[in-house]
Amino acid sequence: MVLIWTKFSVLILAGLANGVIRQGLNGQWKVTGGPNKTLTIDAYVPGGIFSALMESGTIGDIFYGTGDSNYSWVGLTNWTYSTTFTVSEELLNSRVVLVVFEGLDTFATVSVNGHEVGTSENMFVRYNFNIRDQLQVGANEISVQFASAVATAEALAKDPSNEYVIPPECPVPEYKGICYVNRIRKQQASFAWDWGPAFASVGIWGLTEIIGFDDAFIEYLVATPLKNPDDDFWTVPLSVYLNAGEIAAISGTIDVSLETEKGVRTSSFKFNETVDEFEVKVTTTLLVPSSEVSTWWPNGYGTQSTYKLLVTFVSEHERDQSTVHIGFRTVELVQEKLGTGQGLSFYYKVNQVPIFAKGANAIPINILPERSQSLNLAPLFETMKSAHMNMLRVWGGGVYNVDYFYSLADDAGIMIWQDFMFACALYPTDDAYLKNVVKEVKHQVRRLASHPSVVIWAGNNENEAVLAQDWYDTMDNFTIYKNDYVKLYVDVIRPEVLKIVPNATYLTSSPTNGLESDQEGYVAQNPGDSLYGDVHFYDYTSDSWAPETFPIPRFASEYGYQSMPSIESWLTATASLDDLRPDSAFMDYRQHHPGGNDQNVDLIELQMQLPDPESENYVKAFIYFSQILQAQAMKIQTEHYRSFKGRVNEKGEGNTMGALYWQLNDVWVAPTWSGIDFTGRWKMLQYFAKDFFNPMIITGRLTDDNLEVYAICDGLELPNVTVKGLVQVYKWESLEPLIAVESPISLDLYKSVPVTTIHAPTALQTAGCGSDYAEAKKKCFFHLRLLDQGNNILAPFNYIFPEKLKNCALAKPAVKIESVEIVDLYKKIFSVTVSTDAVALFVWLDTHEVKGVFSENGFLQVLPSKTVNFTADSRVTLEELQAAVTVTHLSDPAYL
Ligand SMILES: *[C@@H]1O[C@H](CO)[C@@H](O)[C@H](O)[C@H]1NC(C)=O
Ligand SMILES: *[C@@H]1O[C@H](CO)[C@@H](O)[C@H](O)[C@H]1NC(C)=O
Ligand SMILES: *[C@@H]1O[C@H](CO)[C@@H](O)[C@H](O)[C@H]1NC(C)=O
Ligand SMILES: *[C@@H]1O[C@H](CO)[C@@H](O)[C@H](O)[C@H]1NC(C)=O
Ligand SMILES: *[C@@H]1O[C@H](CO)[C@@H](O)[C@H](O)[C@H]1NC(C)=O
Ligand SMILES: *[C@@H]1O[C@H](CO)[C@@H](O)[C@H](O)[C@H]1NC(C)=O
Ligand SMILES: *[C@@H]1O[C@H](CO)[C@@H](O)[C@H](O)[C@H]1NC(C)=O
Ligand SMILES: *[C@@H]1O[C@H](CO)[C@@H](O)[C@H](O)[C@H]1NC(C)=O
């Protein structure tokens, strides 16, 4: 049925029927339990046991020291949440009264006035239990008894009726983690990961309310606009999911109103449907003229308009309303043969425009799921937007985020690659497990599908690779596990997604060869094939600053290097600076990646000269050098991927259309792959991302003796200026370029364009760096600029080091903070001016305890004076900032 809009009008609702009654159950509850069942403390809902124990002072800060081990007993015991609430006569007169839990973590038995009303076994499902018959007018009691998730997972794994093991049973010892998490539908990382601690929480982590109704209430709205390229209207399939309780049929009217740019369009239709398992799905299709709405675009390609769609359900005894904000865009994951005949493409096309995906992978916003409900996420999205990101992969070992997260993504133009919550493991496929998963998929897809930001659903993270690369010694029984894999992601999850959104894009895994994997029975021989699909790339032994180290894939959906958080962040986790040495027992404790601390030191020492481990400033240097190592490695790798946009090599590799680095955020203070640390401080990587993801960049690679320079431009339009590339040669000790080679270029939105190729030995000789290339490389470096005819700067400055920095004759510049001034006190913006008398590398401004971000940091300074802005997180005086701010650089004498 296609819904015909009646007219533009103001919707007038019939005032006859009563509304659905909603009564929140959030706020102060009590929780009892503990190893001796003797603890009773206040607990806030939404909340979790670790938060409650910390807030009541029962335990200390779990993020301090070895808190994850000290407090592991919390996850081993049962806990009961309870509260009382008042029921009115009006509520009790409803035909159905449900208690609705947005999130129960994980195994709970819910009782009302001593009567059991339901149980839960999936943290990602919304539970409704009918409690009407247990209620009385006046005071009532509700209790939620949680069984230990650790004990339950173990019992499930050891059930004698299991036919075979589902590996891995336990994480590697370095994780200091808990076993059998793949048996349960709980955030997989809550039993530890390589970047995070084990906190096997329980709790009521989502909002809770009571709903009373006579006929039905609106449980979900799904509206997902579609458009054929030639149409001048959008087709919007709309599904209204009504919960009707136990009743045979339900009839009523659905009123729809959409606020377009031309006014409010309204329409209305009647329905009469039978109820199936408490539920009725009422569907229609709306047609919206393209002229009445603006298209939703990813960040960097246009604006992000969304429109309010209001649905009102009216029946004999009821009236209920629900709203979604929809965006008008088309999305396609293009996998088609390329001109070269090798492999298939793999890229996102939004509104018919191929998009180079730029962004990162997100781990859980907080390891305690309840905390991700209340954090202010707006700064995180502002950060991504300022770094020109347009995609975020919500990774499968965490949680589906709160609605507000996706609304912010809609507004920021951040496309969400949404994994289902399965990662790095095999999973059960018995009937009970699959039924449980189906509930989860139904709930999550219905809840999130209307967000224009959600562009793809992916079955899992790395589980195709788990099988193909035999991570857990499953090759002998490959067929058993492969069949389970296909059953779960292809036969069960995929059709559930398509039932809700027939035009959804579904990808079975990541990394995957996509259609090629499907051809090979869903598990490809090599799911990381660079000619197909996406790749995840990690290598901690090769040169991390050499483009040759990196693959040339269609799409890089994960890649990363570790670094250390800042000292101030570390001091929230330990009091001892000695703990921050890479060989300390504490660093070994917090380093979950096997061999990580040694790898980090080796990777640094391949490029730079760390100070003597005995020197006073070693820890400070190690932290700073580790951030340089990571930032520069990620810059070189990302620019390498961008330089293969629209370009292939002789093997047919290339046409790269995505770079999502691992990882955006942190859940504790540890050596990890993040760009933003647990305290919200930016590592150098996050500053570099602003430059390496800039819509226009100039980049280069030195292979053999040739410096190849490329320019890349993303977006919908080329700049209306004549563009030139400038390659300069500098000596380390001078701020004057020795030579400059100018090349006119024609930028191309669809491909990386060669700017020039320079014979490096000749260029260095001409510049006066010396005729012996090996020696000349140590004295000089290349500096790249993208300019218009008026020499206006179009892209961030770039630089290529012809030699490893540890071998170079670096200058010893005098780098100083010249001034700190107020720019806008109301907006907390200050300016900081830094001076130097020679080339200064990785100039790093730090405000220590004063939190905030600079407009630029970690830069290479070739100008005698450079001014950047600092925006403080909270109010600070000029004097306080002047006292706090310090500057360092690679050749800082403090490190000698
Ligand atoms: C539980 O009881 C034991 C033995 O009385 C005691 O040692 C332990 O500290 C108690 N644990 C808690 C968390 O109260
Ligand atoms: C945590 O455990 C460590 C190691 O057993 C111990 O030294 C430390 O005192 C404990 N801390 C707390 C707060 O219980
Ligand atoms: C925790 O609850 C489970 C299930 O309700 C029960 O089987 C188990 O014995 C309880 N454990 C403890 C330590 O009370
Ligand atoms: C709805 O349909 C049922 C069965 O077809 C019918 O008995 C009932 O009268 C209808 N109700 C309304 C309100 O039209
Ligand atoms: C293969 O599975 C069978 C049971 O189906 C089991 O006995 C055997 O140990 C498994 N082999 C391996 C190597 O896991
Ligand atoms: C939506 O999916 C249907 C069924 O797969 C397909 O026929 C149709 O072309 C798709 N429409 C758009 C606009 O993508
Ligand atoms: C470039 O010029 C065209 C035609 O003059 C104009 O429509 C467009 O807005 C300009 N684009 C930019 C980015 O300035
Ligand atoms: C600093 O902030 C001011 C005010 O927002 C702005 O005009 C100026 O361009 C900024 N400077 C830098 C270097 O970002």
Side-chain angles (χ1 to χ4, degrees):
M1 173 176 73
V2 172
L3 193 61
I4 307 302
W5 298 110
T6 42
K7 53 186 177 304
F8 290 117
S9 68
V10 176
L11 193 63
I12 297 163
L13 295 165
L16 306 170
N18 288 323
V20 170
I21 301 170
R22 290 187 162 83
Q23 182 175 331
L25 274 188
N26 309 297
Q28 211 63 247
W29 289 46
K30 287 214 174 315
V31 64
T32 63
N36 305 329
K37 301 190 175 65
T38 50
L39 282 169
T40 296
I41 54 172
D42 286 342
Y44 196 79
V45 169
I49 189 62
F50 283 102
S51 296
L53 289 167
M54 277 190 283
E55 282 156 17
S56 66
T58 314
I59 64 173
D61 178 4
I62 62 170
F63 296 103
Y64 193 84
T66 54
D68 48 334
S69 297
N70 294 65
Y71 304 120
S72 60
W73 58 265
V74 173
L76 299 175
T77 57
N78 295 345
W79 296 94
T80 299
Y81 275 73
S82 60
T83 194
T84 54
F85 59 100
T86 306
V87 169
S88 65
E89 213 159 309
E90 192 197 1
L91 179 67
L92 203 55
N93 284 338
S94 304
R95 179 176 63 86
V96 182
V97 180
L98 301 179
V99 59
V100 180
F101 292 97
E102 288 285 339
L104 289 172
D105 177 13
T106 293
F107 298 96
T109 303
V110 179
S111 303
V112 170
N113 296 327
H115 303 279
E116 183 180 324
V117 294
T119 60
S120 71
E121 65 259 311
N122 190 328
M123 170 179 172
F124 309 122
V125 166
R126 174 154 72 200
Y127 286 94
N128 300 326
F129 304 121
N130 193 351
I131 57 172
R132 181 173 176 294
D133 294 347
Q134 277 70 46
L135 294 178
Q136 62 202 27
V137 172
N140 290 261
E141 202 233 350
I142 183 166
S143 79
V144 184
Q145 287 172 265
F146 288 97
S148 154
V150 178
T152 310
E154 182 173 357
L156 286 165
K158 294 190 171 161
D159 184 332
S161 70
N162 292 339
E163 285 169 36
Y164 45 91
V165 298
I166 310 289
E169 296 202 287
C170 297
V172 294
E174 286 85 350
Y175 286 22
K176 290 97 188 170
I178 304 168
C179 302
Y180 312 117
V181 74
N182 57 347
R183 289 282 175 179
I184 61 175
R185 295 310 300 148
K186 177 175 171 63
Q187 169 179 299
Q188 299 289 287
S190 69
F191 281 25
W193 215 264
D194 57 2
W195 38 256
F199 289 117
S201 61
V202 303
I204 304 176
W205 74 286
L207 293 167
T208 300
E209 65 176 357
I210 289 174
I211 298 187
F213 60 93
D214 293 321
D215 292 339
F217 72 97
I218 302 172
E219 202 169 6
Y220 304 96
L221 282 187
V222 177
T224 49
L226 295 170
K227 188 167 162 312
N228 290 311
D230 299 334
D231 290 346
D232 58 2
F233 58 90
W234 292 86
T235 305
V236 188
L238 170 67
S239 304
V240 182
Y241 294 85
L242 295 170
N243 184 317
E246 290 171 67
I247 197 169
I250 186 89
S251 62
T253 306
I254 297 285
D255 295 314
V256 182
S257 82
L258 179 70
E259 287 178 17
T260 74
E261 279 162 18
K262 300 277 163 66
V264 182
R265 279 193 173 263
T266 63
S267 191
S268 164
F269 65 96
K270 290 196 185 319
F271 71 94
N272 181 11
E273 303 267 354
T274 48
V275 176
D276 180 24
E277 294 200 9
F278 313 135
E279 181 179 287
V280 164
K281 178 180 174 181
V282 185
T283 59
T284 187
T285 301
L286 319 176
L287 299 180
V288 179
S290 308
S291 58
E292 289 184 20
V293 291
S294 304
T295 310
W296 183 94
W297 286 98
N299 182 30
Y301 288 81
T303 54
Q304 291 79 39
S305 307
T306 57
Y307 299 90
K308 184 173 160 192
L309 179 73
L310 172 72
V311 168
T312 307
F313 156 70
V314 183
S315 64
E316 191 184 349
H317 310 104
E318 210 93 74
R319 214 193 88 200
D320 194 27
Q321 289 198 322
S322 186
T323 303
V324 283
H325 289 85
I326 59 175
F328 293 85
R329 52 82 177 137
T330 62
V331 183
E332 208 184 324
L333 178 60
V334 182
Q335 298 182 70
E336 58 193 19
K337 286 220 179 308
L338 295 162
T340 58
Q342 288 145 309
L344 296 174
S345 67
F346 187 94
Y347 66 92
Y348 291 89
K349 210 183 215 182
V350 177
N351 305 322
Q352 299 302 311
V353 175
I355 306 286
F356 192 102
K358 295 185 287 199
N361 287 265
I363 63 170
I365 297 302
N366 194 288
I367 201 68
L368 303 181
E370 68 272 13
R371 291 204 171 174
S372 64
Q373 304 269 354
S374 54
L375 287 172
N376 177 10
L377 300 173
L380 190 66
F381 280 89
E382 277 160 30
T383 297
M384 287 188 262
K385 217 173 154 141
S386 76
H388 316 284
M389 294 183 178
N390 59 30
M391 182 173 266
L392 187 68
R393 184 164 166 256
V394 176
W395 165 83
V399 288
Y400 308 90
N401 289 299
V402 286
D403 294 10
Y404 163 61
F405 176 97
Y406 298 91
S407 299
L408 286 169
D410 294 344
D411 294 344
I414 305 290
M415 297 182 283
I416 300 294
W417 174 321
Q418 181 67 51
D419 278 1
F420 286 101
M421 294 300 144
F422 302 89
C424 304
L426 300 178
Y427 286 91
T429 56
D430 56 85
D431 289 348
Y433 189 87
L434 293 177
K435 259 176 106 170
N436 194 3
V437 168
V438 166
K439 281 191 207 157
E440 170 183 337
V441 173
K442 280 185 168 155
H443 171 57
Q444 296 296 343
V445 177
R446 290 170 181 185
R447 181 172 79 90
L448 301 176
S450 306
H451 288 279
S453 56
V454 177
V455 296
I456 188 166
W457 297 92
N460 64 74
N461 171 73
E462 294 182 354
N463 297 355
E464 186 183 340
V466 160
L467 283 168
Q469 298 166 356
D470 199 18
W471 292 12
Y472 306 124
D473 207 11
T474 53
M475 249 344 148
D476 286 351
N477 283 333
F478 181 76
T479 311
I480 296 177
Y481 293 113
K482 189 195 129 172
N483 289 345
D484 282 353
Y485 177 91
V486 173
K487 194 190 235 179
L488 180 57
Y489 307 110
V490 182
D491 298 341
V492 171
I493 296 182
R494 186 169 71 174
E496 286 301 330
V497 176
L498 298 179
K499 254 187 242 170
I500 301 163
V501 190
N503 290 76
T505 301
Y506 180 83
L507 194 65
T508 312
S509 190
S510 171
T512 180
N513 295 346
L515 293 178
E516 172 58 24
S517 288
D518 296 357
Q519 289 286 314
E520 294 179 40
Y522 301 101
V523 178
Q525 282 270 322
N526 169 21
D529 193 329
S530 56
L531 297 177
Y532 297 94
D534 62 331
V535 306
H536 295 184
F537 180 77
Y538 297 97
D539 176 346
Y540 308 109
T541 52
S542 307
D543 185 342
S544 65
W545 290 11
E548 312 76 270
T549 295
F550 309 116
I552 304 172
R554 302 290 186 234
F555 195 111
S557 50
E558 273 194 27
Y559 56 98
Y561 289 96
Q562 286 195 341
S563 70
M564 295 273 282
S566 72
I567 288 190
E568 288 72 23
S569 302
W570 274 112
L571 291 177
T572 67
T574 176
S576 162
L577 287 184
D578 282 340
D579 279 350
L580 311 190
R581 303 180 72 89
D583 57 356
S584 74
F586 184 66
M587 200 54 64
D588 190 49
Y589 184 83
R590 291 245 164 170
Q591 172 62 269
H592 284 192
H593 172 60
N597 291 329
D598 288 344
Q599 287 164 356
N600 291 344
V601 172
D602 292 349
L603 284 168
I604 292 170
E605 289 188 333
L606 192 61
Q607 313 295 344
M608 295 168 285
Q609 182 73 54
L610 269 173
D612 183 331
E614 301 311 317
S615 77
E616 179 191 3
N617 286 312
Y618 180 72
V619 162
K620 190 178 152 201
F622 180 69
I623 289 174
Y624 169 60
F625 281 49
S626 81
Q627 292 199 14
I628 295 174
L629 187 285
Q630 178 195 36
Q632 183 72 0
M634 298 302 277
K635 163 180 155 51
I636 290 169
Q637 192 171 353
T638 305
E639 290 178 5
H640 160 83
Y641 296 136
R642 292 191 67 187
S643 79
F644 275 95
K645 172 172 158 182
R647 188 162 77 84
V648 291
N649 67 10
E650 65 289 350
K651 294 188 216 156
E653 296 170 325
N655 271 327
T656 309
M657 284 297 280
L660 310 180
Y661 66 74
W662 186 271
Q663 72 199 54
L664 182 72
N665 57 315
D666 258 341
V667 296
W668 72 336
V669 181
T672 75
W673 296 256
S674 74
I676 305 170
D677 80 17
F678 185 49
T679 69
R681 290 183 170 88
W682 288 19
K683 292 176 173 177
M684 200 180 290
L685 166 59
Q686 190 56 46
Y687 287 105
F688 276 36
K690 284 178 74 173
D691 283 355
F692 65 61
F693 281 149
N694 195 67
M696 269 187 272
I697 57 166
I698 182 164
T699 183
R701 66 171 68 207
L702 188 56
T703 28
D704 302 324
D705 289 347
N706 288 323
L707 175 65
E708 291 169 33
V709 181
Y710 293 91
I712 296 108
C713 182
D714 295 334
L716 279 188
E717 272 183 16
L718 289 169
N720 283 347
V721 291
T722 313
V723 182
K724 63 184 180 187
L726 190 67
V727 179
Q728 299 166 315
V729 174
Y730 279 83
K731 266 190 180 159
W732 294 115
E733 63 268 24
S734 162
L735 296 174
E736 287 304 319
L738 303 168
I739 56 163
V741 182
E742 250 186 56
S743 319
I745 44 177
S746 299
L747 292 172
D748 188 318
L749 290 174
Y750 302 104
K751 44 179 194 277
S752 153
V753 297
V755 174
T756 181
T757 299
I758 286 178
H759 187 245
T762 310
L764 295 187
Q765 186 173 9
T766 312
C769 308
S771 53
D772 175 350
Y773 184 45
E775 286 306 308
K777 285 200 290 186
K778 298 176 185 170
K779 295 189 181 135
C780 297
F781 69 98
F782 296 100
H783 198 256
L784 314 178
R785 300 181 185 202
L786 197 68
L787 306 169
D788 67 12
Q789 283 318 103
N791 289 332
N792 294 304
I793 298 160
L794 300 178
F797 287 174
N798 211 335
Y799 43 83
I800 306 289
F801 308 138
E803 176 58 74
K804 299 235 168 306
L805 292 176
K806 65 179 178 188
N807 301 329
C808 288
L810 298 179
K812 308 248 175 311
V815 179
K816 285 196 298 249
I817 293 173
E818 285 299 320
S819 63
V820 181
E821 283 162 25
I822 293 170
V823 173
D824 185 333
L825 206 49
Y826 179 72
K827 292 184 179 155
K828 306 183 288 278
I829 305 177
F830 300 83
S831 69
V832 179
T833 299
V834 182
S835 68
T836 185
D837 58 0
V839 175
L841 281 164
F842 305 109
V843 176
W844 183 247
L845 290 159
D846 196 339
T847 50
H848 305 277
E849 290 299 341
V850 178
K851 284 167 77 174
V853 294
F854 288 94
S855 53
E856 207 181 328
N857 211 349
F859 44 85
L860 179 137
Q861 190 166 346
V862 291
L863 302 172
S865 168
K866 185 170 170 85
T867 300
V868 298
N869 281 353
F870 174 77
T871 306
D873 284 358
S874 42
R875 210 153 285 290
V876 59
T877 66
L878 180 63
E879 292 68 28
E880 283 164 342
L881 184 61
Q882 280 168 334
V885 67
T886 61
V887 69
T888 190
H889 59 100
L890 188 66
S891 314
D892 193 329
Y895 307 132
L896 295 179

